[in-house]
Amino acid sequence: MSQTNCCQNIPFTRDIQSKKVYCKKHFIELIENRVRKTINQYNMLNKDDHIGLGYSGGKDSTVLLNILFKLKKRFPQCTLSALTIDEGIKGYRDECLELTQKITKKYQIPHVIISFKNIYGVTLDQIIEENLSKEYALSACSICGILRRRALNYAARKVNASKIATAHNLDDEAQSILLNLVRGDSNKFIRLSRFPIQKFQTLIPRIRPFVRITEPEIVLYAYAKDLEYHSYPCPYAFSAMRNHIRTFLSEMEEKRPSTLRNIVNLHDSVSQYFPQVDNLEPPFLCQKCGEVSTHEICPICQLLDNLGFKNPLKSEEPLNPHPQSGISDRFRSF
Ligand code: SF4
Ligand SMILES: [Zn+2]
Ligand SMILES: [Zn+2]
C-alpha cells in the first residue's frame, strides 16, 4: 500500500468492497456512511425515535454506540439509551458491566441494566448447569438467546424505547440465514427481516444497522478510533452450532470475497415475496407470565418449568407508548 485513493494521508487499509486504499480518517467516514445507508435502505429509524441500544461492552456494540451517538447529534429529537443484559455468567459478564457503566457515563447516556436473576429468578449459569443434566440438553446459546431477547424487550419498555438496536453484523446475518436453511426452518428464514417490524404491540421493533458491515471492518473501526471494549469471549460461546457455519463462511469469504454480501442480497430478493405484517393480535397471553405468545404457555415459561425454575416476569403497562410514525418521516438524510 504505497498511497491512498482518498487523499494524501498515510494509507491505513484496503477496502475489500471497493478495492480502494483509505487513510484512517476516510476509512472511518466510509464505515459511518455505510451504516447511514443501511439505516436508510431498510427504513430503520424515524427522526424522533428513542433507540434502545443493546450494549454488552463487546467490540460490536461499542462501535455501534459510538456511531449512533455521532449520527444522533444531527437529530435532536432522537434519544439514545443503552440497555445491558446481565445473564449471570460468572467471571465474564461482571467485567463487562463495569466497562459499560464507565462508557455510558462518559457519553452521558441513560443506561439500564437488567439481569436474568431479577426477571427470571435464576442466572444463566444456574440454568445451564440444570440443563446439562437433561437427556436432550439445549445449547447454551439457544437458551440464552431466547431469554436475552425477552430481557432486552423488557429493558427497552422500561426506558420507553421505540426501537431496539443490536450490533449484529454482516457475518452474523449471513450465518443466521444459512443456519435457518441448514435447519430447514422456513418460518425463521422468512421472518428474518432487516426492516423494523412490530409484530405485536408489546414487542418493540428491532433494527440491525451493521448488517452491511463485516466483523473485520468493525474491529478495524474500533482500532482506528482507539475504542475501549471487552474482548474476552463468553465461556459458552464455543458450544454453538453457529460456530460450524461461522468457520465455513469465513473460509468461503476468504476464497470468494463477497460471499457474505451475496447471501444477504439473495435473502433480500427472496424476502420481497414474503412481506411481514405489523401489529397482529397476539394469539395468547402466556398464562404464567402474561407475555404475548403463540402458545398458552410461552416457550420461556415452558423451558424454565421443565428445568424446575419459576418465571416471575409479568407484562407492564404502558407497553409501547411510541407508535411508529409514517414513512415520510424516515431518516432520509441520516
Ligand atoms: S455466546 Fe451464547 S451464551 Fe454467551 S452471551 Fe452470547 S448467546 Fe449468551
Ligand atoms: Zn484519506
Ligand atoms: Zn410465559
Side-chain angles (χ1 to χ4, degrees), residues 6 19 27 34 43 47 62-63 87 92 96 98 109 122 158 160 222 225 243 250 255 282 295:
C6 55
K19 299 191 174 50
F27 167 74
R34 277 199 190 138
N43 292 330
K47 283 179 189 163
T62 301
V63 171
E87 303 90 347
Y92 166 69
C96 303
E98 269 178 43
I109 59 171
V122 276
K158 254 191 145 33
N160 288 336
K225 294 207 73 174
N243 282 327
S250 301
K255 286 179 200 151
H295 298 85

Side-chain angles (χ1 to χ4, degrees), residues 12 43 46 66 90 188 199 209 222 229 231 254 281 333:
F12 177 68
N43 292 330
N46 300 326
N66 191 274
K90 208 165 173 22
K188 280 196 181 158
K199 192 172 174 194
Y229 61 84
S231 53
E254 184 91 28
E281 272 301 311
S333 54

